[in-house]
Amino acid sequence: MPELPEVETVVRSLAPHVTGRRILNAEFNQPRVLRGDAEATTRMLVGKKIESVGRYGKFIVFTLRPAGFLIVHLGMTGKLLWNGAPEKHTHAIFTLDRGTLLYNDSRQFGRIEAARELPEGVQKLGPDALAVSLDDFTDFLRKRKSRLKAVLLDQTFVRGLGNIYVDEALFRAGVHPMTIGATLRKDRVKKLYDAMREVLNEAIERRGSSISDYVDSDGTRGSFQALHRVYRRTGEPCLTCGRAIERTLVAQRGTHYCPKCQKR
DNA sequence: GACGATGTTGGCAC
DNA sequence: GGTGCCAACATCGT
């Protein structure tokens, strides 16, 4: 579920609930999603005030006062829910001075971590997909010898894109997913850069894509899935030329594209 | 019931 | 160091 537009939507829905609130308790019952010791994490969080909540690529970062951070990555099926009822897949419960925040995650690919500083794995990510300049995007791409699908998914290239928005951006740019990054001509690089920003911004306006069960922290679904042009439209007609959309495997990920509009 | 696919990414092999 | 493959897990559709 959670790529840049979905994480941005979760953060925006969360901010009015949690900003300025104090953490009274933090309980963890699933060691797999928690980085570090449960008791130590609880000790680090209890009594702290949430100064702000923000998005860092696909990471959600709570900045704490007087010090420290709570970092959450939703993985494939993670959800942060405001005042929800705990269920089978609830792995963390944060009790605030007003309201409760739950972390649910059926597949447990997500991560929760409390730390004094942002972890190394978070700091080494590339620039945000909505903040990177065209010049940097062009320079970084020139160094990449893998296929564009893999490059755009690589969070150390730019952070925030995932499988849906890579396919959608490549389609809008008219570029084939197997094109080697470094070989892309300058005018096509700009097209790809513009397409990436456009699709991400439109998806944020629609509050993200709800493919199966994605919801924001208030339980509201996104609606951008209705505007996908290639993702999961295998066999359906291309909205530009009418050719059937194809699905193939690139970098081990299901990849959707129009064979006519996206030439190699 | 078996099998394959699903929004992510980190560890390991080359 | 760059690149690519596979595994971690639960659920859903064929």
Side-chain angles (χ1 to χ4, degrees), chain A residues 28-256:
Chain A
F28 305 95
N29 54 31
Q30 179 45 254
R32 189 180 154 73
V33 296
L34 180 65
R35 279 295 163 91
D37 177 74
E39 285 181 27
T41 303
T42 300
R43 272 199 305 276
M44 202 181 304
L45 293 174
V46 169
K48 298 275 170 63
K49 200 168 174 180
I50 299 173
E51 185 173 285
S52 62
V53 55
R55 181 184 62 78
Y56 194 96
K58 298 178 196 171
F59 287 86
I60 296 166
V61 178
F62 298 82
T63 302
L64 307 177
R65 192 181 278 249
F69 300 94
L70 171 64
I71 301 109
V72 176
H73 194 294
L74 301 175
M76 294 270 268
T77 50
K79 292 187 187 76
L80 278 171
L81 294 177
W82 183 247
N83 285 345
E87 41 100 321
K88 184 169 64 162
H89 297 297
T90 300
H91 306 307
I93 302 176
F94 303 94
T95 309
L96 309 186
D97 55 3
R98 201 192 62 203
T100 304
L101 187 59
L102 300 183
Y103 180 76
N104 292 1
D105 189 351
S106 67
R107 292 179 71 184
Q108 298 169 227
F109 289 171
R111 288 284 177 273
I112 298 176
E113 179 172 4
R116 300 201 68 78
E117 303 292 341
L118 285 183
E120 202 180 316
V122 174
Q123 291 190 36
K124 76 173 184 202
L125 300 182
D128 195 89
L130 279 179
V132 65
S133 70
L134 175 59
D135 283 350
D136 283 349
F137 186 82
T138 307
D139 288 346
F140 299 155
L141 198 53
R142 200 169 291 148
K143 295 171 189 147
R144 295 304 197 109
K145 290 178 184 158
S146 355
R147 295 165 292 187
L148 278 173
K149 173 83 182 196
V151 176
L152 294 172
L153 284 173
D154 183 350
Q155 302 296 298
T156 67
F157 172 65
V158 293
R159 62 177 130 101
L161 294 172
N163 210 32
I164 296 174
Y165 298 103
V166 167
D167 282 6
E168 293 295 321
L170 286 168
F171 172 78
R172 290 187 183 213
V175 175
H176 195 284
M178 290 189 186
T179 309
I180 301 299
T183 66
L184 199 64
R185 300 262 179 77
K186 204 174 176 185
D187 58 322
R188 314 230 93 194
V189 174
K190 181 174 187 326
K191 267 194 138 176
L192 178 58
Y193 174 83
D194 290 341
M196 170 182 79
R197 295 176 56 86
E198 182 186 83
V199 74
L200 291 174
N201 281 318
E202 287 180 19
I204 290 171
E205 278 174 34
R206 293 301 198 104
R207 308 177 62 87
S209 302
S210 289
I211 297 298
S212 60
D213 64 349
Y214 160 74
V215 289
D216 70 11
S217 72
D218 295 315
T220 306
R221 289 169 60 84
S223 64
F224 192 69
Q225 66 280 4
L227 299 182
H228 291 173
R229 300 183 189 174
V230 286
Y231 184 77
R232 288 219 182 172
R233 291 194 65 246
T234 313
E236 294 176 41
C238 171
L239 300 173
T240 304
C241 75
R243 262 288 268 288
I245 299 302
E246 290 186 7
R247 180 184 181 277
T248 184
L249 222 51
V250 185
Q252 305 307 115
R253 307 297 301 275
T255 299
H256 313 75

